[in-house]
Structure formats: structure tokens, C-alpha cells
Amino acid sequence: MNTAMELGDVQVALDIGPELDTAALPVERRVRHMLDVARAFHVSGRHDAAVATVLNAERMAPDQVRHHYLSRQLVITWVRNTHGKPGFELHQLAKRMHVVG
């Protein structure tokens, strides 16, 4: 999944990533996988799925998501690219991450 994203093959990442069973992995690796899935959704224009994936990852490991570079970059990008005010869930996530006031 991560390799596919690093190589820019978003379709391969979306084909395997969301359905990949990561239950046997440590929480930190599962969350990182979810952030890569969110990035793939973002790149493919599936904004709602991307936000939902980051929110699910946050429920698993709040501190890791709130401080991880990738999740912070995604949320900052979403907030900046929103026309008008971001949706409630995105705005609350951005506040928890301290990327908006």
C-alpha cells in the first residue's frame, strides 16, 4: 500500500489498501496504513472517504494521528481547499490537531 502510494500508483493503492486486513499489526502500523489509505482517497478525489478514514484512525490512536506529519498535512490541505467553512467533523478534527483556531 505504502509502496504503491510512494510510486504514485493510486489505483493499486485503492484496490488493495481499504480491504487489507491489518488486525495482526501493531496499532501504530494500522494507523499509518489508514493514513496512507486516506491519502489515496484524497488523491483520487474521494474527500468524504479520506476524512472518514482519518477520523477512524484517530479513534484508534488519537495522539498518533494528531501529531503525525501525514495526517496534519491532509487536514491542513482540506481546510485550506474548502470553499467557505469546513464541515463540522473536519473543523473539529482540525481544532483537535491545533491547525485552526
Side-chain angles (χ1 to χ4, degrees), residues 80-98:
R80 286 182 181 161
N81 292 339
T82 299
H83 300 291
K85 186 176 179 181
F88 179 77
E89 288 183 322
L90 176 56
H91 182 70
Q92 292 301 311
L93 176 60
K95 283 176 63 174
R96 290 190 298 274
M97 295 175 93
H98 303 286

Side-chain angles (χ1 to χ4, degrees), residues 1 4 8 10 15 23-24 38 40 55-56 61 68 73 76-77 79-80 87-89 91 93 98 100:
M1 170 72 204
V10 177
D15 288 345
L55 290 169
N56 287 336
H68 196 284
Q73 286 305 115
I76 289 168
T77 298
V79 169
R80 286 182 181 161
F88 179 77
E89 288 183 322
H91 182 70
L93 176 60
H98 303 286
V100 297

Side-chain angles (χ1 to χ4, degrees), residues 1-13 32 35-37 39-40 43 68-70:
M1 170 72 204
N2 182 272
T3 302
M5 284 304 296
E6 292 303 319
L7 294 173
D9 200 339
V10 177
Q11 190 56 53
V12 168
R32 175 54 202 250
L35 295 178
D36 283 330
V37 170
R39 183 168 56 133
V43 170
H68 196 284
Y69 174 79
L70 180 54

Side-chain angles (χ1 to χ4, degrees), residues 32 35 63-73:
R32 175 54 202 250
L35 295 178
D63 286 337
Q64 181 180 352
V65 171
R66 291 177 192 155
H67 299 288
H68 196 284
Y69 174 79
L70 180 54
S71 57
R72 294 180 67 78
Q73 286 305 115

